[in-house]
Amino acid sequence: MNKKKLIVIGIIAALIIAWRATIFRLSGMSSNSSNGASTGIVEKAISKVLDATNEAGITDSHPDDEKLAKAASLINAPLRKVVHATVYFVLALLLLAISRVIFGSKKYLLSCAVTILLCFIFAMTDEYHQTFVDGRTGQMLDVMIDTAGACVGVLLFSSYYLAWLLGKEHHAHSQKD
């Protein structure tokens, strides 16, 4: 294995470790801290969007703090599930990237299957970890949402990879003509 390839593998491995550490840190937050932080972010986002639409002349009002808090709490729960899926979407992309560097185009389907399996295992361990955190529980639904996010990541990466292979093949055929 050449030096450049080892450097790329090292960088991607470091990103995977950092991403896993971030997931672990976020799942280690108490339910009050986690929910409060995400609700606060949603409230600020709603407020900024309303400010922007008011400035653009699309709207001309701003709800009071109570209505803003209620809207944020309604949006917060589904948004947290989207974040679950997105976090594992990114993890899947990183795992596929390192697999692609290590194996090239060999064992691609195996790499996809192993990526989904690893994401599923990581999601299971993450949810188990949450059972030890104040106010948090491990939920199989979250494991399934995480795994679905990983599957979407694998499908997107595979679509790109397939398009690249087809383009490479087309280019090779057009060079022969």
Side-chain angles (χ1 to χ4, degrees):
M1 204 177 284
N2 66 33
K3 188 175 181 177
K4 182 180 175 185
K5 196 172 185 179
L6 285 174
I7 291 170
V8 171
I9 290 170
I11 290 169
I12 298 170
L15 289 170
I16 291 169
I17 291 167
W19 195 249
R20 285 291 300 139
T22 300
I23 293 169
F24 187 79
R25 186 180 59 77
L26 291 172
S27 67
M29 293 173 70
S30 72
S31 64
N32 287 340
S33 295
S34 177
N35 198 39
S38 61
T39 303
I41 291 168
V42 171
E43 275 187 42
K44 285 179 186 172
I46 292 171
S47 186
K48 295 283 184 191
V49 167
L50 287 172
D51 289 345
T53 59
N54 285 344
E55 286 179 27
I58 298 169
T59 59
D60 68 351
S61 66
H62 203 286
D64 61 34
D65 289 344
E66 185 180 322
K67 286 181 181 178
L68 190 60
K70 186 174 181 172
S73 70
L74 288 172
I75 294 170
N76 191 47
L79 184 63
R80 289 172 65 93
K81 299 306 179 189
V82 169
V83 170
H84 260 273
T86 303
V87 165
Y88 281 84
F89 172 91
V90 171
L91 181 60
L93 293 179
L94 290 170
L95 290 170
L96 281 172
I98 200 167
S99 173
R100 178 88 172 92
V101 173
I102 293 169
F103 299 116
S105 59
K106 302 172 199 151
K107 303 178 183 177
Y108 185 73
L109 290 176
L110 178 62
S111 295
C112 290
V114 169
T115 293
I116 292 170
L117 179 63
L118 284 174
C119 287
F120 175 75
I121 291 168
F122 289 156
M124 292 282 288
T125 60
D126 186 46
E127 290 301 313
Y128 180 69
H129 165 244
Q130 287 183 30
T131 65
F132 298 101
V133 177
D134 185 38
R136 302 284 293 265
T137 60
Q139 297 181 5
M140 194 61 186
L141 176 62
D142 285 348
V143 172
M144 301 317 293
I145 290 169
D146 297 342
T147 305
C151 288
V152 170
V154 167
L155 287 172
L156 181 68
F157 191 95
S158 296
S159 297
Y160 170 78
Y161 180 67
L162 181 60
W164 176 80
L165 280 178
L166 292 173
K168 185 177 171 183
E169 185 178 303
H170 177 72
H171 181 70
H173 285 310
S174 65
Q175 293 293 333
K176 289 180 183 179
D177 296 338

PDB file of all heavy atoms in Angstrom, residues 95-124:
ATOM      1  N   LEU A  95     -17.870   5.247   6.187  1.00  0.00           N
ATOM      2  CA  LEU A  95     -17.467   3.839   6.157  1.00  0.00           C
ATOM      3  C   LEU A  95     -17.293   3.337   4.721  1.00  0.00           C
ATOM      4  O   LEU A  95     -16.345   2.591   4.427  1.00  0.00           O
ATOM      5  CB  LEU A  95     -18.487   2.981   6.904  1.00  0.00           C
ATOM      6  CG  LEU A  95     -18.515   3.168   8.425  1.00  0.00           C
ATOM      7  CD1 LEU A  95     -19.725   2.469   9.026  1.00  0.00           C
ATOM      8  CD2 LEU A  95     -17.227   2.671   9.055  1.00  0.00           C
ATOM      9  N   LEU A  96     -18.183   3.738   3.834  1.00  0.00           N
ATOM     10  CA  LEU A  96     -18.044   3.345   2.429  1.00  0.00           C
ATOM     11  C   LEU A  96     -16.813   3.988   1.789  1.00  0.00           C
ATOM     12  O   LEU A  96     -16.143   3.362   0.959  1.00  0.00           O
ATOM     13  CB  LEU A  96     -19.294   3.707   1.636  1.00  0.00           C
ATOM     14  CG  LEU A  96     -20.454   2.740   1.801  1.00  0.00           C
ATOM     15  CD1 LEU A  96     -21.698   3.295   1.119  1.00  0.00           C
ATOM     16  CD2 LEU A  96     -20.123   1.369   1.252  1.00  0.00           C
ATOM     17  N   ALA A  97     -16.525   5.208   2.173  1.00  0.00           N
ATOM     18  CA  ALA A  97     -15.347   5.888   1.618  1.00  0.00           C
ATOM     19  C   ALA A  97     -14.068   5.153   2.008  1.00  0.00           C
ATOM     20  O   ALA A  97     -13.199   4.914   1.157  1.00  0.00           O
ATOM     21  CB  ALA A  97     -15.304   7.342   2.100  1.00  0.00           C
ATOM     22  N   ILE A  98     -13.961   4.761   3.268  1.00  0.00           N
ATOM     23  CA  ILE A  98     -12.740   4.055   3.682  1.00  0.00           C
ATOM     24  C   ILE A  98     -12.674   2.677   3.037  1.00  0.00           C
ATOM     25  O   ILE A  98     -11.613   2.208   2.633  1.00  0.00           O
ATOM     26  CB  ILE A  98     -12.604   3.989   5.221  1.00  0.00           C
ATOM     27  CG1 ILE A  98     -11.143   3.715   5.602  1.00  0.00           C
ATOM     28  CG2 ILE A  98     -13.529   2.953   5.836  1.00  0.00           C
ATOM     29  CD1 ILE A  98     -10.833   3.939   7.064  1.00  0.00           C
ATOM     30  N   SER A  99     -13.808   2.037   2.892  1.00  0.00           N
ATOM     31  CA  SER A  99     -13.859   0.731   2.235  1.00  0.00           C
ATOM     32  C   SER A  99     -13.423   0.853   0.777  1.00  0.00           C
ATOM     33  O   SER A  99     -12.679   0.009   0.267  1.00  0.00           O
ATOM     34  CB  SER A  99     -15.285   0.173   2.324  1.00  0.00           C
ATOM     35  OG  SER A  99     -15.401  -0.983   1.570  1.00  0.00           O
ATOM     36  N   ARG A 100     -13.870   1.893   0.127  1.00  0.00           N
ATOM     37  CA  ARG A 100     -13.532   2.127  -1.285  1.00  0.00           C
ATOM     38  C   ARG A 100     -12.033   2.345  -1.440  1.00  0.00           C
ATOM     39  O   ARG A 100     -11.414   1.861  -2.386  1.00  0.00           O
ATOM     40  CB  ARG A 100     -14.324   3.339  -1.787  1.00  0.00           C
ATOM     41  CG  ARG A 100     -14.047   3.739  -3.193  1.00  0.00           C
ATOM     42  CD  ARG A 100     -14.949   2.981  -4.155  1.00  0.00           C
ATOM     43  NE  ARG A 100     -14.810   3.515  -5.483  1.00  0.00           N
ATOM     44  CZ  ARG A 100     -13.950   3.045  -6.381  1.00  0.00           C
ATOM     45  NH1 ARG A 100     -13.177   2.047  -6.109  1.00  0.00           N
ATOM     46  NH2 ARG A 100     -13.881   3.591  -7.577  1.00  0.00           N
ATOM     47  N   VAL A 101     -11.424   3.069  -0.504  1.00  0.00           N
ATOM     48  CA  VAL A 101      -9.984   3.312  -0.570  1.00  0.00           C
ATOM     49  C   VAL A 101      -9.215   2.009  -0.327  1.00  0.00           C
ATOM     50  O   VAL A 101      -8.235   1.721  -1.011  1.00  0.00           O
ATOM     51  CB  VAL A 101      -9.553   4.399   0.444  1.00  0.00           C
ATOM     52  CG1 VAL A 101      -8.041   4.522   0.505  1.00  0.00           C
ATOM     53  CG2 VAL A 101     -10.176   5.736   0.096  1.00  0.00           C
ATOM     54  N   ILE A 102      -9.673   1.214   0.618  1.00  0.00           N
ATOM     55  CA  ILE A 102      -8.967  -0.023   0.949  1.00  0.00           C
ATOM     56  C   ILE A 102      -9.134  -1.081  -0.129  1.00  0.00           C
ATOM     57  O   ILE A 102      -8.169  -1.695  -0.586  1.00  0.00           O
ATOM     58  CB  ILE A 102      -9.441  -0.568   2.317  1.00  0.00           C
ATOM     59  CG1 ILE A 102      -9.014   0.382   3.429  1.00  0.00           C
ATOM     60  CG2 ILE A 102      -8.902  -1.971   2.565  1.00  0.00           C
ATOM     61  CD1 ILE A 102      -9.642   0.091   4.789  1.00  0.00           C
ATOM     62  N   PHE A 103     -10.375  -1.322  -0.560  1.00  0.00           N
ATOM     63  CA  PHE A 103     -10.652  -2.425  -1.477  1.00  0.00           C
ATOM     64  C   PHE A 103     -10.798  -2.018  -2.937  1.00  0.00           C
ATOM     65  O   PHE A 103     -10.855  -2.877  -3.814  1.00  0.00           O
ATOM     66  CB  PHE A 103     -11.935  -3.161  -1.059  1.00  0.00           C
ATOM     67  CG  PHE A 103     -11.857  -3.772   0.298  1.00  0.00           C
ATOM     68  CD1 PHE A 103     -12.697  -3.333   1.311  1.00  0.00           C
ATOM     69  CD2 PHE A 103     -10.949  -4.776   0.572  1.00  0.00           C
ATOM     70  CE1 PHE A 103     -12.631  -3.896   2.571  1.00  0.00           C
ATOM     71  CE2 PHE A 103     -10.869  -5.341   1.830  1.00  0.00           C
ATOM     72  CZ  PHE A 103     -11.705  -4.901   2.830  1.00  0.00           C
ATOM     73  N   GLY A 104     -10.913  -0.730  -3.219  1.00  0.00           N
ATOM     74  CA  GLY A 104     -11.171  -0.294  -4.585  1.00  0.00           C
ATOM     75  C   GLY A 104     -12.550  -0.765  -5.003  1.00  0.00           C
ATOM     76  O   GLY A 104     -13.497  -0.734  -4.223  1.00  0.00           O
ATOM     77  N   SER A 105     -12.671  -1.229  -6.236  1.00  0.00           N
ATOM     78  CA  SER A 105     -13.986  -1.672  -6.709  1.00  0.00           C
ATOM     79  C   SER A 105     -14.249  -3.141  -6.375  1.00  0.00           C
ATOM     80  O   SER A 105     -15.337  -3.645  -6.605  1.00  0.00           O
ATOM     81  CB  SER A 105     -14.118  -1.444  -8.210  1.00  0.00           C
ATOM     82  OG  SER A 105     -13.102  -2.143  -8.890  1.00  0.00           O
ATOM     83  N   LYS A 106     -13.251  -3.808  -5.814  1.00  0.00           N
ATOM     84  CA  LYS A 106     -13.441  -5.202  -5.408  1.00  0.00           C
ATOM     85  C   LYS A 106     -14.313  -5.243  -4.155  1.00  0.00           C
ATOM     86  O   LYS A 106     -14.258  -4.344  -3.324  1.00  0.00           O
ATOM     87  CB  LYS A 106     -12.096  -5.862  -5.098  1.00  0.00           C
ATOM     88  CG  LYS A 106     -11.117  -5.856  -6.244  1.00  0.00           C
ATOM     89  CD  LYS A 106      -9.774  -6.362  -5.772  1.00  0.00           C
ATOM     90  CE  LYS A 106      -8.716  -5.930  -6.749  1.00  0.00           C
ATOM     91  NZ  LYS A 106      -7.435  -5.741  -6.152  1.00  0.00           N
ATOM     92  N   LYS A 107     -15.088  -6.262  -4.035  1.00  0.00           N
ATOM     93  CA  LYS A 107     -15.894  -6.506  -2.832  1.00  0.00           C
ATOM     94  C   LYS A 107     -16.843  -5.350  -2.516  1.00  0.00           C
ATOM     95  O   LYS A 107     -17.126  -5.061  -1.362  1.00  0.00           O
ATOM     96  CB  LYS A 107     -14.999  -6.799  -1.625  1.00  0.00           C
ATOM     97  CG  LYS A 107     -14.058  -7.966  -1.838  1.00  0.00           C
ATOM     98  CD  LYS A 107     -13.173  -8.196  -0.647  1.00  0.00           C
ATOM     99  CE  LYS A 107     -12.216  -9.330  -0.956  1.00  0.00           C
ATOM    100  NZ  LYS A 107     -11.277  -9.589   0.091  1.00  0.00           N
ATOM    101  N   TYR A 108     -17.345  -4.685  -3.543  1.00  0.00           N
ATOM    102  CA  TYR A 108     -18.196  -3.511  -3.301  1.00  0.00           C
ATOM    103  C   TYR A 108     -19.505  -3.878  -2.605  1.00  0.00           C
ATOM    104  O   TYR A 108     -19.896  -3.228  -1.636  1.00  0.00           O
ATOM    105  CB  TYR A 108     -18.483  -2.745  -4.607  1.00  0.00           C
ATOM    106  CG  TYR A 108     -19.256  -1.496  -4.328  1.00  0.00           C
ATOM    107  CD1 TYR A 108     -18.629  -0.422  -3.729  1.00  0.00           C
ATOM    108  CD2 TYR A 108     -20.612  -1.415  -4.599  1.00  0.00           C
ATOM    109  CE1 TYR A 108     -19.334   0.729  -3.421  1.00  0.00           C
ATOM    110  CE2 TYR A 108     -21.316  -0.259  -4.300  1.00  0.00           C
ATOM    111  CZ  TYR A 108     -20.670   0.795  -3.708  1.00  0.00           C
ATOM    112  OH  TYR A 108     -21.373   1.925  -3.386  1.00  0.00           O
ATOM    113  N   LEU A 109     -20.171  -4.915  -3.077  1.00  0.00           N
ATOM    114  CA  LEU A 109     -21.439  -5.308  -2.441  1.00  0.00           C
ATOM    115  C   LEU A 109     -21.218  -5.755  -1.001  1.00  0.00           C
ATOM    116  O   LEU A 109     -22.022  -5.443  -0.121  1.00  0.00           O
ATOM    117  CB  LEU A 109     -22.136  -6.405  -3.247  1.00  0.00           C
ATOM    118  CG  LEU A 109     -22.696  -5.958  -4.596  1.00  0.00           C
ATOM    119  CD1 LEU A 109     -23.286  -7.145  -5.343  1.00  0.00           C
ATOM    120  CD2 LEU A 109     -23.724  -4.859  -4.429  1.00  0.00           C
ATOM    121  N   LEU A 110     -20.120  -6.456  -0.768  1.00  0.00           N
ATOM    122  CA  LEU A 110     -19.783  -6.856   0.598  1.00  0.00           C
ATOM    123  C   LEU A 110     -19.538  -5.617   1.461  1.00  0.00           C
ATOM    124  O   LEU A 110     -19.986  -5.549   2.610  1.00  0.00           O
ATOM    125  CB  LEU A 110     -18.559  -7.772   0.608  1.00  0.00           C
ATOM    126  CG  LEU A 110     -18.074  -8.232   1.984  1.00  0.00           C
ATOM    127  CD1 LEU A 110     -19.161  -9.050   2.686  1.00  0.00           C
ATOM    128  CD2 LEU A 110     -16.789  -9.038   1.851  1.00  0.00           C
ATOM    129  N   SER A 111     -18.856  -4.631   0.908  1.00  0.00           N
ATOM    130  CA  SER A 111     -18.607  -3.376   1.633  1.00  0.00           C
ATOM    131  C   SER A 111     -19.915  -2.682   2.010  1.00  0.00           C
ATOM    132  O   SER A 111     -20.052  -2.161   3.119  1.00  0.00           O
ATOM    133  CB  SER A 111     -17.753  -2.423   0.798  1.00  0.00           C
ATOM    134  OG  SER A 111     -16.475  -2.954   0.588  1.00  0.00           O
ATOM    135  N   CYS A 112     -20.871  -2.698   1.084  1.00  0.00           N
ATOM    136  CA  CYS A 112     -22.179  -2.086   1.358  1.00  0.00           C
ATOM    137  C   CYS A 112     -22.878  -2.830   2.504  1.00  0.00           C
ATOM    138  O   CYS A 112     -23.409  -2.203   3.429  1.00  0.00           O
ATOM    139  CB  CYS A 112     -23.056  -2.101   0.110  1.00  0.00           C
ATOM    140  SG  CYS A 112     -22.500  -0.989  -1.180  1.00  0.00           S
ATOM    141  N   ALA A 113     -22.874  -4.149   2.435  1.00  0.00           N
ATOM    142  CA  ALA A 113     -23.532  -4.951   3.473  1.00  0.00           C
ATOM    143  C   ALA A 113     -22.855  -4.752   4.827  1.00  0.00           C
ATOM    144  O   ALA A 113     -23.533  -4.586   5.857  1.00  0.00           O
ATOM    145  CB  ALA A 113     -23.529  -6.422   3.079  1.00  0.00           C
ATOM    146  N   VAL A 114     -21.528  -4.745   4.842  1.00  0.00           N
ATOM    147  CA  VAL A 114     -20.793  -4.556   6.100  1.00  0.00           C
ATOM    148  C   VAL A 114     -21.045  -3.152   6.656  1.00  0.00           C
ATOM    149  O   VAL A 114     -21.198  -2.973   7.875  1.00  0.00           O
ATOM    150  CB  VAL A 114     -19.284  -4.836   5.901  1.00  0.00           C
ATOM    151  CG1 VAL A 114     -18.462  -4.381   7.105  1.00  0.00           C
ATOM    152  CG2 VAL A 114     -19.056  -6.316   5.626  1.00  0.00           C
ATOM    153  N   THR A 115     -21.121  -2.168   5.786  1.00  0.00           N
ATOM    154  CA  THR A 115     -21.402  -0.794   6.231  1.00  0.00           C
ATOM    155  C   THR A 115     -22.753  -0.723   6.931  1.00  0.00           C
ATOM    156  O   THR A 115     -22.867  -0.158   8.022  1.00  0.00           O
ATOM    157  CB  THR A 115     -21.365   0.172   5.030  1.00  0.00           C
ATOM    158  OG1 THR A 115     -20.026   0.236   4.545  1.00  0.00           O
ATOM    159  CG2 THR A 115     -21.852   1.560   5.408  1.00  0.00           C
ATOM    160  N   ILE A 116     -23.769  -1.304   6.319  1.00  0.00           N
ATOM    161  CA  ILE A 116     -25.105  -1.283   6.934  1.00  0.00           C
ATOM    162  C   ILE A 116     -25.089  -2.051   8.256  1.00  0.00           C
ATOM    163  O   ILE A 116     -25.646  -1.589   9.258  1.00  0.00           O
ATOM    164  CB  ILE A 116     -26.163  -1.846   5.964  1.00  0.00           C
ATOM    165  CG1 ILE A 116     -26.334  -0.879   4.785  1.00  0.00           C
ATOM    166  CG2 ILE A 116     -27.496  -2.066   6.673  1.00  0.00           C
ATOM    167  CD1 ILE A 116     -27.160  -1.422   3.643  1.00  0.00           C
ATOM    168  N   LEU A 117     -24.409  -3.190   8.278  1.00  0.00           N
ATOM    169  CA  LEU A 117     -24.315  -3.977   9.514  1.00  0.00           C
ATOM    170  C   LEU A 117     -23.600  -3.196  10.609  1.00  0.00           C
ATOM    171  O   LEU A 117     -24.063  -3.168  11.761  1.00  0.00           O
ATOM    172  CB  LEU A 117     -23.600  -5.305   9.245  1.00  0.00           C
ATOM    173  CG  LEU A 117     -23.414  -6.213  10.464  1.00  0.00           C
ATOM    174  CD1 LEU A 117     -24.764  -6.656  11.016  1.00  0.00           C
ATOM    175  CD2 LEU A 117     -22.550  -7.418  10.092  1.00  0.00           C
ATOM    176  N   LEU A 118     -22.478  -2.558  10.274  1.00  0.00           N
ATOM    177  CA  LEU A 118     -21.752  -1.770  11.271  1.00  0.00           C
ATOM    178  C   LEU A 118     -22.602  -0.615  11.797  1.00  0.00           C
ATOM    179  O   LEU A 118     -22.618  -0.344  12.998  1.00  0.00           O
ATOM    180  CB  LEU A 118     -20.441  -1.234  10.689  1.00  0.00           C
ATOM    181  CG  LEU A 118     -19.307  -2.238  10.548  1.00  0.00           C
ATOM    182  CD1 LEU A 118     -18.125  -1.589   9.826  1.00  0.00           C
ATOM    183  CD2 LEU A 118     -18.881  -2.776  11.900  1.00  0.00           C
ATOM    184  N   CYS A 119     -23.300   0.061  10.908  1.00  0.00           N
ATOM    185  CA  CYS A 119     -24.174   1.160  11.346  1.00  0.00           C
ATOM    186  C   CYS A 119     -25.273   0.639  12.265  1.00  0.00           C
ATOM    187  O   CYS A 119     -25.593   1.276  13.277  1.00  0.00           O
ATOM    188  CB  CYS A 119     -24.750   1.896  10.146  1.00  0.00           C
ATOM    189  SG  CYS A 119     -23.539   2.932   9.290  1.00  0.00           S
ATOM    190  N   PHE A 120     -25.835  -0.505  11.932  1.00  0.00           N
ATOM    191  CA  PHE A 120     -26.859  -1.125  12.789  1.00  0.00           C
ATOM    192  C   PHE A 120     -26.272  -1.452  14.163  1.00  0.00           C
ATOM    193  O   PHE A 120     -26.886  -1.136  15.195  1.00  0.00           O
ATOM    194  CB  PHE A 120     -27.410  -2.390  12.115  1.00  0.00           C
ATOM    195  CG  PHE A 120     -28.370  -3.163  12.962  1.00  0.00           C
ATOM    196  CD1 PHE A 120     -29.668  -2.714  13.160  1.00  0.00           C
ATOM    197  CD2 PHE A 120     -27.977  -4.338  13.580  1.00  0.00           C
ATOM    198  CE1 PHE A 120     -30.566  -3.419  13.954  1.00  0.00           C
ATOM    199  CE2 PHE A 120     -28.855  -5.062  14.365  1.00  0.00           C
ATOM    200  CZ  PHE A 120     -30.151  -4.601  14.560  1.00  0.00           C
ATOM    201  N   ILE A 121     -25.092  -2.038  14.185  1.00  0.00           N
ATOM    202  CA  ILE A 121     -24.444  -2.377  15.470  1.00  0.00           C
ATOM    203  C   ILE A 121     -24.130  -1.115  16.260  1.00  0.00           C
ATOM    204  O   ILE A 121     -24.375  -1.044  17.463  1.00  0.00           O
ATOM    205  CB  ILE A 121     -23.177  -3.233  15.227  1.00  0.00           C
ATOM    206  CG1 ILE A 121     -23.575  -4.617  14.709  1.00  0.00           C
ATOM    207  CG2 ILE A 121     -22.344  -3.344  16.501  1.00  0.00           C
ATOM    208  CD1 ILE A 121     -22.413  -5.440  14.174  1.00  0.00           C
ATOM    209  N   PHE A 122     -23.601  -0.090  15.584  1.00  0.00           N
ATOM    210  CA  PHE A 122     -23.318   1.177  16.257  1.00  0.00           C
ATOM    211  C   PHE A 122     -24.603   1.780  16.835  1.00  0.00           C
ATOM    212  O   PHE A 122     -24.613   2.305  17.945  1.00  0.00           O
ATOM    213  CB  PHE A 122     -22.659   2.176  15.320  1.00  0.00           C
ATOM    214  CG  PHE A 122     -21.239   1.856  14.931  1.00  0.00           C
ATOM    215  CD1 PHE A 122     -20.721   2.358  13.750  1.00  0.00           C
ATOM    216  CD2 PHE A 122     -20.414   1.066  15.719  1.00  0.00           C
ATOM    217  CE1 PHE A 122     -19.414   2.080  13.370  1.00  0.00           C
ATOM    218  CE2 PHE A 122     -19.117   0.782  15.351  1.00  0.00           C
ATOM    219  CZ  PHE A 122     -18.613   1.288  14.167  1.00  0.00           C
ATOM    220  N   ALA A 123     -25.682   1.714  16.064  1.00  0.00           N
ATOM    221  CA  ALA A 123     -26.967   2.255  16.535  1.00  0.00           C
ATOM    222  C   ALA A 123     -27.451   1.482  17.763  1.00  0.00           C
ATOM    223  O   ALA A 123     -27.954   2.077  18.724  1.00  0.00           O
ATOM    224  CB  ALA A 123     -28.009   2.200  15.421  1.00  0.00           C
ATOM    225  N   MET A 124     -27.299   0.165  17.729  1.00  0.00           N
ATOM    226  CA  MET A 124     -27.702  -0.661  18.884  1.00  0.00           C
ATOM    227  C   MET A 124     -26.885  -0.289  20.128  1.00  0.00           C
ATOM    228  O   MET A 124     -27.448  -0.120  21.214  1.00  0.00           O
ATOM    229  CB  MET A 124     -27.517  -2.152  18.577  1.00  0.00           C
ATOM    230  CG  MET A 124     -28.459  -2.702  17.534  1.00  0.00           C
ATOM    231  SD  MET A 124     -30.102  -3.009  18.151  1.00  0.00           S
ATOM    232  CE  MET A 124     -29.816  -4.437  19.151  1.00  0.00           C
TER     233      MET A 124
END
